[in-house]
Amino acid sequence: AASSALLCQGALAATLNTQQLKTLENLKKDALNSDTSYQIIESLTTEVGARMVGTEAEKKSVTWAVNKMKALGFDKVWTEPVATPKWHRGEARVSIESPYPHTLVALALGGSVGTDGKTLKAPVVQFENLQALKDAKADSLKGKIAFVSYRMERHIDGHGYGMAVGARGAGAAIAAEKGAIAYVMRSVGTDTNRVAHTGGMRYQDGVKKIPGLALSNPDADLLLNQLKRNKPVIMSLSLTANPEPDAEVTSYNVIGQINGSELPNEYVTLGAHLDSWDVGTGAIDDGIGVGMTLAAVHHIAQLPQRPKRSVRVILFAAEEIGLFGARAYAKAHKDDMKDHVIGAEWDFGNGDIYQLTPGVGPSALNNIRDLATLLAPMGVSLSSENNAKGQSDMSALGRAGMPAINFDPDGSDYFDYHHTPNDTLDKVNRDALKKNTAIYTMFSYFAAQSDVDFRK
Amino acid sequence: AASSALLCQGALAATLNTQQLKTLENLKKDALNSDTSYQIIESLTTEVGARMVGTEAEKKSVTWAVNKMKALGFDKVWTEPVATPKWHRGEARVSIESPYPHTLVALALGGSVGTDGKTLKAPVVQFENLQALKDAKADSLKGKIAFVSYRMERHIDGHGYGMAVGARGAGAAIAAEKGAIAYVMRSVGTDTNRVAHTGGMRYQDGVKKIPGLALSNPDADLLLNQLKRNKPVIMSLSLTANPEPDAEVTSYNVIGQINGSELPNEYVTLGAHLDSWDVGTGAIDDGIGVGMTLAAVHHIAQLPQRPKRSVRVILFAAEEIGLFGARAYAKAHKDDMKDHVIGAEWDFGNGDIYQLTPGVGPSALNNIRDLATLLAPMGVSLSSENNAKGQSDMSALGRAGMPAINFDPDGSDYFDYHHTPNDTLDKVNRDALKKNTAIYTMFSYFAAQSDVDFRK
Ligand SMILES: [Zn+2]
Ligand SMILES: [Zn+2]
Ligand SMILES: [Zn+2]
Ligand SMILES: [Zn+2]
């Protein structure tokens, strides 16, 4: 009944013919009934776990990915080297010394320097947000520890992240410019757990590098409650991060595809990143992306016939420390980027997908409407925008001219777990995962079986 | 309108007269509009924080409690010594060595021995629950690490705890009897956070003392997923717990009361425990009990007149390591236990109270029905049982003959935070706290203003 309803939808343009629509409907059923994407995440998190750039586990993840793609029926699997910096987190020991001693839960921000074996002890100066820190007078933080207490807001599309993450990237450099000896911030996260959220930060040329750390939300609350009492709050802080400054290592993008039956040199691309931070097992960020993209291609590979175009999965290296894998891919594939017909990343957990936003040529928009019609029964609506440039890693390919589709999931709880020790397998919603995998499978088949030029 | 409705309730027996019922109704309003109980918890968790027996912070908590009671208008405040054992948690380092290396989040169980500076390395043997461990053959665990993977169930009345906690108390001794060199268990908790739940354990005379630890739920999952693959799983484990075995220290029950205007030597008692584990700030367990009981008496102390009987708050010492404060109190007050007319503890978080269960004489049951009628508009129903012996610390007084009332809250999420680093101020539900404080205020006034003999 579902498939006949679909075939009768008069609104469908002619992107796929009746037989192809039937195949697509079967693929949807396969994916909705399959646990494959979950099993891939289970395997990655159990057999590899955390896989931060430069670690043994990251090397293992590359082998794991190559083997997994082969086992899942990919036609061609290879790796491409990526030069990346390496950073070692070390241990953070942070506490309030006075007026009321407390041990605080903290994590270094990615890229932070350590304290060279010393323990810093200094008064804390609090700022409501990054702007307030920027507004502080020159030299006003001399010998102090700056603390930005801004709390990230929870929103379905995760836009609270954008409002909060600036303090993570730039806070330490700005604090250092004004004389601070260390920088601590409330974690960029929406949870109330006693675990901190890590994530990348940047130094500025010519500005002293000072340690940057994130406190868990409850610890930031506690620090605020002490500050409220109008007595000097003295913090002590030591961090063994980054014993190998400027170390560079080679990592690998892992790439696999099924070869198109008619247009093998045109690539529908699915992206996710293989690396993770070291604190959880990277189930959510981005094990789910790995599971969904590999499973989508696996389901299509089970068909008696390959679709016209190739479907390529790129598992990017070194996303967390600054999209190094994506940039390396865009550079290496400068000449054949024109053959990347369209791409979608998955790097945003697994809330239900509620919207798709294309970034295609005006005439291809008709075909995107066909896709949206096919996905509407799954709760996916079509955005009125046509400006997607690709999410996460795929933004590098989008900037290089590849058309993109963004699939937008309910991200309300994504930042409860993001970049924390809590990013583990039990957080994966198996039902939403099946549905989202089905959507990626359908999109991949749709784009690969058609011969639409998404640039036009 | 609310108070006239109350005064008209024909079902009320004559425990209180019209004027007293009016006072009670005003007390209810005061408590529902007051943030006092929250402010007390804020003060305790911010200015003292974790307060485990034998620590500096625990000493500070005694001074804090004495000062707080005085500031809140108590007539009489004193301390009574409690001899307790002392235990030091130290640091637990637990990891899976093979087949897939992982660092596991673990906490020592309270009372556990350490590993004497050594790192144990041994294969893990898994058991579904405590019974399965008991059923293992003698010597079958020689040189092994025993792992009980039982997962606590979530229930409104928290009865899943009773089903799970046996493995915490007795597991290590049973494993040791069969030759195990260490004992690890899935945390007794209903959350999915990467924090472990501590709590007390016991050794058995004549059985070797081996380390006992709890893994966080996600880490227990991961260990299970590795075991599922049917390769030997080797765990490594070191623990610096308990460097001072058998150390004994003196702690203090902190007791305060408002003196009764007519029957000052009869005591309506409210109990909570002042100590906490060292991993969180003890906001939920049992800062909430401290806040509710102190605020209840404070609200009554604001009345122009003291009620007939004294209302006494006992903040018990050393509950977590085995009810040492409660037992010391029962012993010290053997001779005047008859003057303790009725008592209620609060040591179960702050879900909404939905039921009261008395443990009183048959004729006093009529008066309890009056109380239940007064509390019915707050969503509190009367249990059909009349067998309460007092919760937590108060069980020691109940056993010594004091009538008791148990107030039963929705405990569905209590074991998400119980005995973890997540037990912090932000977990307190300020609205539920006001309501529950109002109920304790009403109960205290009701029992203190009446002259009912709850033993009869
Ligand atoms: Zn990511
Ligand atoms: Zn990330
Ligand atoms: Zn307790
Ligand atoms: Zn407890």
Side-chain angles (χ1 to χ4, degrees):
Chain A
S3 96
S4 68
L6 173 70
L7 301 179
C8 295
Q9 289 182 56
L12 274 182
T15 314
L16 298 184
N17 66 30
T18 308
Q19 184 53 45
Q20 291 161 348
L21 287 172
K22 206 167 176 176
T23 301
L24 187 106
E25 198 64 13
N26 286 331
L27 275 173
K28 173 178 167 179
K29 268 183 224 146
D30 291 349
L32 286 175
N33 288 314
S34 164
D35 219 21
T36 299
S37 48
Y38 180 82
Q39 293 307 334
I40 294 166
I41 307 168
E42 195 270 352
S43 169
L44 177 59
T45 54
T46 306
E47 296 163 19
V48 180
R51 46 201 178 276
M52 192 161 78
V53 170
T55 63
E56 278 307 305
E58 189 227 8
K59 280 181 204 148
K60 210 164 76 169
S61 74
V62 171
T63 312
W64 174 92
V66 168
N67 292 339
K68 192 60 79 179
M69 284 178 171
K70 287 179 180 165
L72 288 166
F74 282 62
D75 296 325
K76 201 179 150 194
V77 180
W78 70 101
T79 62
E80 298 180 359
V82 177
T84 79
K86 181 183 168 177
W87 174 75
H88 175 74
R89 171 177 311 286
E91 275 193 75
R93 302 247 172 199
V94 182
S95 56
I96 299 174
E97 293 283 312
S98 64
Y100 311 111
H102 278 277
T103 303
L104 300 177
V105 174
L107 282 176
L109 298 179
S112 175
V113 297
T115 57
D116 287 326
K118 290 193 280 277
T119 297
L120 309 178
K121 230 176 251 196
V124 174
V125 184
Q126 181 237 341
F127 299 93
E128 291 293 324
N129 50 40
L130 183 63
Q131 189 55 50
L133 174 63
K134 284 180 182 167
D135 292 345
K137 290 209 187 95
D139 291 334
S140 64
L141 297 178
K142 221 160 203 170
K144 307 276 171 63
I145 296 175
F147 166 47
V148 170
S149 61
Y150 180 81
R151 186 192 293 271
M152 179 185 166
E153 294 174 7
R154 187 186 297 277
H155 294 286
I156 187 172
D157 63 355
H159 79 261
Y161 187 66
M163 296 157 68
V165 77
R168 195 184 77 203
I174 293 166
E177 225 172 4
K178 298 171 194 293
I181 60 167
Y183 173 71
V184 297
M185 63 179 292
R186 182 189 285 276
S187 282
V188 179
T190 47
D191 61 303
T192 60
N193 288 311
R194 204 92 181 282
V195 295
H197 296 242
T198 189
M201 60 165 282
R202 300 176 301 277
Y203 290 112
Q204 263 170 36
D205 286 343
V207 177
K208 188 167 184 257
K209 295 182 177 186
I210 63 172
L213 299 99
L215 303 175
S216 87
N217 266 314
D219 288 282
D221 292 344
L222 183 70
L223 178 53
L224 277 182
N225 281 339
Q226 292 214 9
L227 286 160
K228 242 191 247 166
R229 283 158 164 83
N230 290 318
K231 297 175 191 169
V233 173
I234 310 298
M235 178 176 281
S236 98
L237 186 159
S238 75
L239 177 62
T240 58
N242 200 19
E244 305 172 67
D246 312 314
E248 202 170 275
V249 290
T250 301
S251 184
Y252 297 90
N253 290 329
V254 181
I255 307 166
Q257 68 183 35
I258 49 174
N259 298 326
S261 53
E262 296 180 21
L263 302 161
N265 294 327
E266 296 192 6
Y267 315 113
V268 171
T269 58
L270 300 180
H273 63 84
L274 185 56
D275 70 313
S276 78
W277 288 107
D278 50 332
V279 293
T281 61
I284 300 283
D285 184 14
D286 185 19
I288 287 176
V290 174
M292 277 172 58
T293 56
L294 295 193
V297 171
H298 169 74
H299 292 311
I300 297 171
Q302 301 306 101
L303 296 176
Q305 260 200 313
R306 295 284 184 253
K308 289 181 191 165
R309 289 165 164 161
S310 296
V311 184
R312 176 179 290 186
V313 173
I314 312 165
L315 298 183
F316 293 98
E319 190 271 350
E320 294 294 7
I321 56 170
L323 297 176
F324 286 89
R327 288 190 270 162
Y329 185 93
K331 201 171 161 196
H333 291 270
K334 203 160 45 98
D335 295 335
D336 67 354
M337 192 55 70
K338 62 181 188 320
D339 305 320
H340 291 62
V341 296
I342 193 164
E345 173 99 355
W346 188 265
D347 187 18
F348 198 17
N350 72 338
D352 288 309
I353 294 173
Y354 65 90
Q355 180 176 268
L356 75 84
T357 309
V360 299
S363 111
L365 210 46
N366 278 323
N367 307 95
I368 296 295
R369 284 195 197 99
D370 279 1
L371 176 65
T373 305
L374 292 164
L375 296 180
M378 328 251 322
V380 184
S381 68
L382 178 61
S383 164
S384 58
E385 313 278 343
N386 181 27
N387 56 7
K389 289 283 173 211
Q391 292 158 316
S392 191
D393 305 279
M394 279 298 191
S395 63
L397 283 68
R399 274 194 301 275
M402 183 188 70
I405 283 207
N406 295 353
F407 289 95
D408 305 316
D410 183 335
S412 302
D413 67 357
Y414 183 68
F415 294 100
D416 287 349
Y417 309 120
H418 184 250
H419 295 183
T420 74
N422 266 337
D423 181 354
T424 50
L425 184 64
D426 52 331
K427 310 311 182 305
V428 175
N429 176 338
R430 292 171 87 148
D431 290 327
L433 179 64
K434 280 180 186 169
K435 214 176 93 180
N436 291 352
T437 301
I439 290 168
Y440 266 58
T441 307
M442 292 165 76
F443 157 68
S444 305
Y445 177 80
F446 178 91
Q449 188 57 65
S450 80
D451 46 19
V452 176
D453 184 345
F454 291 101
R455 283 174 167 83
K456 288 230 167 119
Chain B
S3 97
S4 69
L6 174 70
L7 301 178
C8 294
Q9 286 182 57
L12 275 181
T15 313
L16 299 183
N17 66 32
T18 308
Q19 184 53 46
Q20 292 161 347
L21 286 173
K22 207 167 176 175
T23 302
L24 185 106
E25 200 61 15
N26 286 332
L27 275 173
K28 172 177 165 180
K29 268 183 226 147
D30 291 348
L32 285 175
N33 289 313
S34 165
D35 219 19
T36 300
S37 47
Y38 180 82
Q39 293 306 335
I40 294 166
I41 306 167
E42 195 270 353
S43 169
L44 176 59
T45 54
T46 306
E47 296 163 19
V48 180
R51 44 201 179 276
M52 193 163 75
V53 170
T55 62
E56 278 308 304
E58 189 227 8
K59 280 182 202 147
K60 209 164 78 170
S61 74
V62 170
T63 311
W64 175 92
V66 167
N67 292 340
K68 192 60 78 178
M69 284 177 170
K70 286 179 182 165
L72 288 166
F74 282 62
D75 296 326
K76 202 179 147 192
V77 181
W78 71 101
T79 62
E80 298 181 358
V82 177
T84 80
K86 180 183 168 177
W87 174 76
H88 175 73
R89 172 178 311 284
E91 276 194 73
R93 302 249 172 200
V94 183
S95 56
I96 299 174
E97 294 284 312
S98 63
Y100 311 111
H102 278 277
T103 303
L104 301 176
V105 174
L107 282 176
L109 298 178
S112 175
V113 296
T115 57
D116 287 326
K118 290 193 281 279
T119 297
L120 309 179
K121 229 175 255 196
V124 174
V125 184
Q126 181 237 342
F127 298 94
E128 291 294 323
N129 50 40
L130 183 63
Q131 189 56 51
L133 175 63
K134 284 180 183 166
D135 292 345
K137 291 210 186 94
D139 291 335
S140 64
L141 297 178
K142 221 160 204 172
K144 306 276 172 59
I145 295 175
F147 166 49
V148 169
S149 60
Y150 181 81
R151 186 192 292 270
M152 180 185 165
E153 294 174 7
R154 187 186 296 275
H155 294 287
I156 186 173
D157 63 356
H159 79 263
Y161 187 65
M163 296 156 69
V165 77
R168 195 183 76 203
I174 293 165
E177 226 172 4
K178 298 173 195 293
I181 60 168
Y183 174 71
V184 298
M185 63 180 291
R186 182 190 284 276
S187 282
V188 179
T190 46
D191 62 303
T192 60
N193 288 310
R194 204 93 181 280
V195 296
H197 296 242
T198 189
M201 60 164 285
R202 300 176 303 277
Y203 290 112
Q204 262 170 37
D205 287 342
V207 177
K208 189 167 185 260
K209 295 181 178 186
I210 64 172
L213 300 99
L215 302 175
S216 86
N217 266 314
D219 289 282
D221 293 343
L222 182 69
L223 179 53
L224 277 181
N225 281 340
Q226 293 214 6
L227 287 161
K228 241 190 249 167
R229 283 158 164 81
N230 290 317
K231 297 175 191 169
V233 173
I234 310 298
M235 178 177 280
S236 98
L237 186 160
S238 75
L239 178 63
T240 57
N242 199 20
E244 305 172 66
D246 311 314
E248 200 169 278
V249 290
T250 301
S251 183
Y252 297 90
N253 289 329
V254 181
I255 306 167
Q257 69 182 35
I258 49 173
N259 298 326
S261 54
E262 294 180 21
L263 302 162
N265 294 326
E266 296 191 6
Y267 315 114
V268 172
T269 59
L270 300 180
H273 64 85
L274 185 55
D275 70 312
S276 78
W277 287 109
D278 49 332
V279 292
T281 61
I284 300 283
D285 184 14
D286 185 19
I288 287 175
V290 174
M292 278 171 58
T293 56
L294 295 193
V297 170
H298 169 74
H299 293 310
I300 297 171
Q302 302 305 101
L303 295 175
Q305 260 201 317
R306 295 286 184 253
K308 289 182 189 164
R309 289 164 164 161
S310 296
V311 184
R312 176 178 291 185
V313 173
I314 313 165
L315 299 182
F316 293 98
E319 190 271 349
E320 294 294 6
I321 56 170
L323 297 176
F324 286 89
R327 289 190 269 162
Y329 185 92
K331 201 172 161 193
H333 292 269
K334 205 159 46 96
D335 294 338
D336 67 356
M337 192 54 69
K338 62 183 187 320
D339 305 320
H340 291 62
V341 297
I342 193 165
E345 173 99 355
W346 188 266
D347 187 18
F348 198 18
N350 71 339
D352 288 311
I353 293 173
Y354 64 91
Q355 180 175 268
L356 75 84
T357 308
V360 300
S363 111
L365 209 46
N366 277 323
N367 307 95
I368 296 295
R369 284 195 196 99
D370 279 2
L371 176 64
T373 304
L374 292 164
L375 296 180
M378 329 254 316
V380 184
S381 68
L382 178 61
S383 163
S384 58
E385 312 278 341
N386 181 26
N387 56 7
K389 288 285 173 210
Q391 292 159 315
S392 190
D393 306 277
M394 279 297 192
S395 63
L397 283 68
R399 274 194 302 275
M402 184 187 71
I405 283 205
N406 295 353
F407 290 95
D408 305 315
D410 183 335
S412 301
D413 68 357
Y414 183 67
F415 293 101
D416 288 350
Y417 309 122
H418 184 249
H419 295 183
T420 74
N422 266 337
D423 181 354
T424 49
L425 184 63
D426 53 332
K427 310 312 183 304
V428 174
N429 176 337
R430 291 171 88 148
D431 290 327
L433 179 65
K434 281 179 185 168
K435 216 177 91 178
N436 291 351
T437 302
I439 291 168
Y440 266 59
T441 307
M442 292 165 77
F443 157 68
S444 305
Y445 178 79
F446 179 92
Q449 189 58 65
S450 80
D451 46 19
V452 175
D453 183 344
F454 291 100
R455 283 174 167 81
K456 286 228 168 121

